[in-house]
Amino acid sequence: MQSKLFIKNLEVFAYHGLFNEENKLGQKFVFDVECDVNYTKALFSDDMNDSISYASMADVVVKTATVNTFNLLERLAGEIVKNIFNKFSEVTAIKVEINKPNAPLKYSFDKCGTRLTITRVEFDNLL
């Protein structure tokens, strides 16, 4: 069985980027987070203790994005993954997509950003 918990289009105002203006003025970032979780118990128990709260997951993403300032979205994605794995032992893999809709590009675009998909085992082997 494959089960996923996800949050799409979580908007956060934060201060990340290579340019001083980005770090001073800030901008909107949009997060998609998808976690592989075995919540077989929750299918039958209807008990929140057998699952993960969407609100708690969103709190981790928002806190990570707003407490820190990084030059690279890749670094922010890595920190989000680390914090989710640390808080939720039930998560076995994560996909994080960070969209920077107002990136300072001279071209018209719909989305730009970074996407990281990694298992807990892969992440632990990087450390």
Side-chain angles (χ1 to χ4, degrees), residues 26-46:
Q27 62 188 296
K28 179 174 78 169
F29 295 85
V30 182
F31 296 86
D32 290 345
V33 180
E34 184 176 284
C35 298
D36 290 359
V37 182
N38 182 349
Y39 54 72
T40 305
K41 288 183 186 178
L43 294 174
F44 304 101
S45 73
D46 200 28

Side-chain angles (χ1 to χ4, degrees), residues 6-122:
F6 66 90
I7 300 172
K8 299 272 187 199
N9 298 318
L10 176 63
E11 293 186 9
V12 179
F13 191 87
Y15 301 86
H16 306 286
L18 290 173
F19 300 111
N20 288 336
E21 296 81 15
E22 293 178 292
N23 294 311
K24 289 179 186 173
L25 300 174
Q27 62 188 296
K28 179 174 78 169
F29 295 85
V30 182
F31 296 86
D32 290 345
V33 180
E34 184 176 284
C35 298
D36 290 359
V37 182
N38 182 349
Y39 54 72
T40 305
K41 288 183 186 178
L43 294 174
F44 304 101
S45 73
D46 200 28
D47 184 343
M48 190 62 228
N49 293 317
D50 294 330
S51 190
I52 295 174
S53 161
Y54 305 111
S56 296
M57 183 75 65
D59 287 344
V60 171
V61 175
V62 171
K63 183 177 179 184
T64 304
T66 57
V67 169
N68 301 286
T69 299
F70 298 115
N71 291 328
L72 301 177
L73 293 183
E74 293 84 353
R75 176 68 179 93
L76 175 57
E79 194 69 11
I80 289 169
V81 166
K82 179 186 84 173
N83 291 340
I84 289 174
F85 279 145
N86 285 342
K87 183 160 176 90
F88 306 106
S89 61
E90 309 89 343
V91 174
T92 58
I94 303 172
K95 180 167 84 172
V96 175
E97 182 175 311
I98 306 172
N99 177 19
K100 191 174 180 180
N102 299 311
L105 297 175
K106 64 180 181 178
Y107 306 104
S108 177
F109 63 93
D110 181 40
K111 284 181 150 187
C112 75
T114 190
R115 182 181 301 127
L116 172 63
T117 303
I118 192 165
T119 67
R120 181 181 291 275
V121 171
E122 290 171 329

